[in-house]
Amino acid sequence: DAGITQSPRYKITETGRQVTLMCHQTWSHSYMFWYRQDLGHGLRLIYYSAAADITDKGEVPDGYVVSRSKTENFPLTLESATRSQTSVYFCASSSLGLTDTQYFGPGTRLTVL
Amino acid sequence: AQSVAQPEDQVNVAEGNPLTVKCTYSVSGNPYLFWYVQYPNRGLQFLLKYITGDNLVKGSYGFEAEFNKSQTSFHLKKPSALVSDSALYFCAVRDANTGNNRKLIWGLGTSLAVNP
């Protein structure tokens, strides 16, 4: 049971390049989330999705794009990477029920030079 | 507005002693409350949650948390700390009255250090 996976685990890129972070879950969870984690800021929600083809902005969506054509995948794209987007990115998923428990992937550490 | 506060950036405790990691919250309706743990270079792992019912919630790895509605708190506790409990702990809340909005509000985290 793979659960929720993220790729790549580590990525170094340059300012201005487009980068896509992948997230895949095997539970058929309806909800998926993208967070970034930075010292002093805790977890901040970038985007989330309630189902395939339904996405919505979180706290810090600027500079990011998401899509969800299939329930199991929720890629996050940085259209033109900036140094301020250097961070650790976590994907999470949760089921449609009331329990709300979110299950997290292992994270992607992104460095923008 | 919904919010979560973890008033201590760091908690230090000796191995074998009881530990408490504090969390207070603010929501307009009934809260759904969660604790997660993050070990170094890992994703967050779910520990326990309060949805309704008994105010004392038991979770993974011997942790428990007590929901106190009058004090709007949900402190995480463990009777006897282990060195392996050293990690970053996050409290999160959602207002039960927000319907299908599944977004959680997260605290900034508390770093727990258990000393041998």
Side-chain angles (χ1 to χ4, degrees):
Chain A
D1 184 0
I4 184 164
T5 57
Q6 294 183 236
S7 61
R9 295 292 314 279
Y10 302 90
K11 177 73 177 178
I12 299 174
T13 191
E14 295 178 337
T15 301
R17 290 191 180 267
Q18 184 179 79
V19 177
T20 295
L21 310 184
M22 304 302 293
C23 178
H24 176 79
Q25 52 106 351
T26 60
W27 295 307
S28 299
H29 282 170
S30 296
Y31 286 85
M32 296 188 75
F33 307 82
W34 274 108
Y35 294 93
R36 60 178 290 174
Q37 184 179 28
D38 305 285
L39 279 175
H41 292 280
L43 284 172
R44 291 184 290 177
L45 182 65
I46 304 171
Y47 269 96
Y48 69 104
S49 169
D53 298 322
I54 300 174
T55 62
D56 206 349
K57 296 178 180 178
E59 299 173 66
V60 289
D62 293 344
Y64 302 95
V65 174
V66 294
S67 62
R68 192 155 177 221
S69 57
K70 293 184 178 181
T71 299
E72 61 266 30
N73 296 324
F74 191 38
L76 176 73
T77 298
L78 288 66
E79 294 185 297
S80 178
T82 65
R83 290 181 181 172
S84 65
Q85 293 177 310
T86 292
S87 185
V88 181
Y89 291 84
F90 289 102
C91 179
S93 70
S94 69
S95 65
L96 189 58
L98 285 175
T99 58
D100 288 86
T101 303
Q102 293 186 15
Y103 297 93
F104 283 76
T108 294
R109 183 174 295 275
L110 176 68
T111 301
V112 183
L113 302 176
Chain B
Q2 302 176 70
S3 65
V4 173
Q6 293 182 242
E8 299 157 317
D9 291 337
Q10 181 153 347
V11 170
N12 294 291
V13 64
E15 188 174 28
N17 282 1
L19 70 86
T20 299
V21 182
K22 296 179 180 178
C23 173
T24 59
Y25 67 90
S26 176
V27 296
S28 56
N30 293 320
Y32 292 163
L33 291 153
F34 301 81
W35 276 103
Y36 284 79
V37 60
Q38 185 181 28
Y39 298 101
N41 300 313
R42 303 286 294 277
L44 278 73
Q45 296 179 32
F46 169 72
L47 274 180
L48 52 80
K49 65 185 176 189
Y50 172 83
I51 302 297
T52 187
D54 195 345
N55 289 343
L56 184 63
V57 179
K58 294 187 183 296
S60 306
Y61 312 122
F63 284 94
E64 59 187 28
E66 186 166 11
F67 170 61
N68 187 317
K69 188 172 184 177
S70 62
Q71 297 186 7
T72 61
S73 67
F74 190 55
H75 302 330
L76 182 69
K77 300 181 180 183
K78 188 173 182 181
S80 179
L82 299 173
V83 172
S84 58
D85 293 330
S86 300
L88 189 58
Y89 291 81
F90 289 95
C91 181
V93 69
R94 177 169 93 78
D95 188 329
N97 295 336
T98 54
N100 287 327
N101 182 341
R102 290 291 193 269
K103 292 189 289 185
L104 295 178
I105 305 301
W106 295 86
L108 294 182
T110 297
S111 179
L112 173 67
V114 181
N115 307 305

